Amino acid sequence: MKKYRPNISDVARLAGVSTATVSRALSNPSLVSEATRKAVQGAIATTGYRLNETARNLRHRRTGGIVALVPNLANPFFSQILSGIASVLGPAGYNLLIADTRTAGADRLLDYAEPSRADGLIILDGSLPAAALTGRIPMVEACEWVPGLAAPRVKIDNRAAAGLAVNHLADLGHSRIGHVVGPAGNVLSVARLAGYEDTLRSRGLPLMQSAIYQGDFSLESGRVAAEVWLQQPQDTRPTALFLASDAMACGFIGEVQRHGLSVPRDVSVVGFDDIELIAHISPPLTTIRQPRTAIGQIAAERLLNRLRGGEDTDQDTILSVELIIRASTAAPRL
Amino acid sequence: MKKYRPNISDVARLAGVSTATVSRALSNPSLVSEATRKAVQGAIATTGYRLNETARNLRHRRTGGIVALVPNLANPFFSQILSGIASVLGPAGYNLLIADTRTAGADRLLDYAEPSRADGLIILDGSLPAAALTGRIPMVEACEWVPGLAAPRVKIDNRAAAGLAVNHLADLGHSRIGHVVGPAGNVLSVARLAGYEDTLRSRGLPLMQSAIYQGDFSLESGRVAAEVWLQQPQDTRPTALFLASDAMACGFIGEVQRHGLSVPRDVSVVGFDDIELIAHISPPLTTIRQPRTAIGQIAAERLLNRLRGGEDTDQDTILSVELIIRASTAAPRL
DNA sequence: GAGCGTGATGTAATCGGTTTCATTAACGAT
DNA sequence: ATCGTTAATGAAACCGATTACATCACGCTC
């Protein structure tokens, strides 16, 4: 008389039918007569029966779960993508499993790409080893991507997006335009830097090593970049900067202001991502908006489509970005 | 000859032993002789066998998953708590499932508290119905809590924390101190408001209805509160405000600055949470620091301890907070 | 009335492991 | 030589569902 958990045979016994019939009544009611269906439903109600997903999954050779591999769960940038993913996966009957690739060891990575762990994988971390992931369960990549991994990608054109930012600054009349790059080796950093350089060249603007600052997407690295910039001679340092993330742009502006300078009077700043907060700081930040929720949703949809056996052309989905002009950019001081 | 997935009997056949022995060699090697253990390991290596978790879980009547119920995944406040949870769950061999309680319907909630879905539950949303959650799988509450639900809680003393903030403002010499509350009905809003009122009373300061502004933790609601405050007569409106979240404080400061006023010269501001970004805006925000990662970790540990049959005293864990004084607070202008 | 299609249901195999119980061999003690 | 003990292993039940196949009753056709 303990808290006995009723199973399908308890229901079957009570309803006076076989377990096969109960199973059919639940998953394919049209195969069962009206009368027995009622009986089964009654038995379910009185026993309080609930289906055991694990057993069903075992039989179906699936897990009902999708793993998202994120580089750093604590980074708010990802939470909106995850939100988009969750909004698609939930209604589709899949569980969203989240694994932090920094917390989890590299060996654990293999476990996550196991068919017995998850039915599919969404990769948000481009720094993972391609070898460990190829030929495993179905997967898609979102935002970042792993070079050499054959998986559909849902992303933006980072190179062109960087161009939008730099062109905006050039249009305002800036000629010494700097760039704070993301983490070394990161695919996004590389693409955005390339876009920055492309655009300077196409506009006939000087490309100076001293105008490129190392960063890692974090607030603190933006602050450090500002320290470097502040120490450069005023007549040669950039009058405008494009930073590869909004977080860095925040850190940069904060430090510059703390030294008594003003944005955009003394320096124009463009960020990247359009995280919610930066519209509310002062000055509100000019930035490149990435459709983060949509990226997550589309990635999830493409994965589900694949799992359902749908045709998938393996083509990348490129979502469009938008230059959001706010108050952190202006013409250079004469 | 398709992509046949080897199972335990394939391994057993190749190693010349029974499946029982293979199972033992994997889960309890001391029961198996040195020689057979080697043979099994060899067979595993040549077949490329990997254990099917679903099958094991079925037999063990567990799922290997822990569900975290978050009110809004897109809110960066939660990502750091989740990060703390993930850092404990991963190494312990549990999967972290994340469900957004807004995306998921109320009926889906029941599914998440099912033993066949997850072994345990971490509740981060205090607005869930207690009735739907009582008597289900083991659970703990973190940060927020559901009134009337009997589950161990890991949280801070919100009332006392609000007191820290208000006392700080009073100590600076402010006598008209306002408060922007969180979402109506939210347990945190209620506790922080109570702490605010307590402290005003104990300091003998006036408690005015016009100094209490409705908010909902969001940036935008902080901005709206600023609009209201700006329209109040300068000689009666608060000279200092305590806001129930950093996001609201950001929105408030941004709007105030946009109207040409300066913080803290014209108004002092204290936030709540200490999200990373607000140390970098200008002025850097004075706030109450919540140990978010630790909250997540401890919640996860308490849940695991319970699942392992450990004694759990059902007592709440109260973590301490800290007043971080930065530059958004100062003595009132004379 | 024989033959046959159809609908409803039961039997039993199956998914891939774990674990109880039984069996056997080896070894030391009596 | 016999008994008891222990270590190592296999046979088979089991976890809780799904589903291929068999069965049976019914109604229809010719």
Side-chain angles (χ1 to χ4, degrees), chain B residues 18-300:
Chain B
S18 73
T19 62
T21 301
V22 175
S23 177
R24 282 189 282 251
L26 286 173
S27 51
N28 200 347
S30 69
L31 292 177
V32 170
S33 75
E34 178 72 17
T36 42
R37 207 184 309 152
K38 284 258 167 75
V40 168
Q41 265 156 17
I44 288 177
T46 62
T47 54
Y49 166 76
R50 306 224 78 200
L51 183 104
N52 184 317
E53 307 252 8
T54 309
R56 166 184 280 182
N57 287 339
L58 174 58
R59 183 64 229 244
H60 283 165
R61 292 150 165 257
R62 59 164 240 156
T63 70
I66 304 278
V67 170
L69 292 177
V70 292
N72 178 9
L73 232 190
N75 184 338
F77 174 77
F78 293 103
S79 46
Q80 224 169 95
I81 299 174
L82 291 175
S83 176
I85 293 173
S87 72
V88 171
L89 254 35
Y94 280 90
N95 292 321
L96 171 58
L97 313 203
I98 295 194
D100 191 317
T101 55
R102 292 185 325 168
T103 309
D107 49 338
R108 203 174 287 277
L109 218 69
L110 287 169
D111 291 342
Y112 284 118
E114 268 302 293
S116 84
R117 259 297 175 77
D119 299 334
L121 205 56
I122 299 180
I123 297 173
L124 298 171
D125 182 350
S127 69
L128 299 175
L133 294 169
T134 38
R136 314 293 296 273
I137 60 179
M139 52 187 76
V140 305
E141 303 176 81
C143 268
E144 299 195 5
W145 62 93
V146 177
L149 185 63
R153 293 168 181 166
V154 179
K155 56 189 191 92
I156 59 167
D157 184 339
N158 285 280
R159 197 156 176 162
L164 278 181
V166 176
N167 268 321
H168 167 61
L169 293 171
D171 288 344
L172 286 170
H174 292 275
S175 56
R176 294 198 308 277
I177 299 175
H179 178 44
V180 182
V181 299
N186 180 285
V187 287
L188 303 178
S189 307
V190 173
R192 292 174 193 169
L193 174 61
Y196 161 78
E197 292 178 339
D198 281 355
T199 312
L200 287 190
R201 260 190 295 270
S202 75
R203 301 285 297 229
L205 294 174
L207 215 161
M208 307 170 293
Q209 262 320 304
S210 63
I212 296 181
Y213 309 81
Q214 186 59 47
D216 61 9
F217 288 154
S218 74
L219 278 159
E220 176 59 18
S221 72
R223 196 192 61 71
V224 171
E227 280 181 350
V228 175
W229 177 83
L230 283 162
Q231 291 188 355
Q232 293 178 324
Q234 212 168 327
D235 53 344
T236 60
R237 71 186 178 194
T239 58
L241 282 109
F242 161 52
L243 296 97
S245 78
D246 282 345
M248 293 196 295
C250 267
F252 186 95
I253 291 178
E255 185 70 11
V256 161
Q257 289 177 332
R258 230 162 285 130
H259 281 76
L261 298 191
S262 159
V263 177
R265 193 170 45 92
D266 298 306
V267 58
S268 283
V269 173
V270 181
F272 204 110
D273 289 342
D274 195 31
I275 64 178
E276 197 196 355
L277 214 137
I278 51 98
H280 292 267
I281 64 172
S282 36
L285 190 62
T286 295
T287 192
I288 303 289
R289 174 177 295 165
Q290 279 199 73
R292 294 208 296 292
T293 306
I295 289 176
Q297 288 173 333
I298 293 174

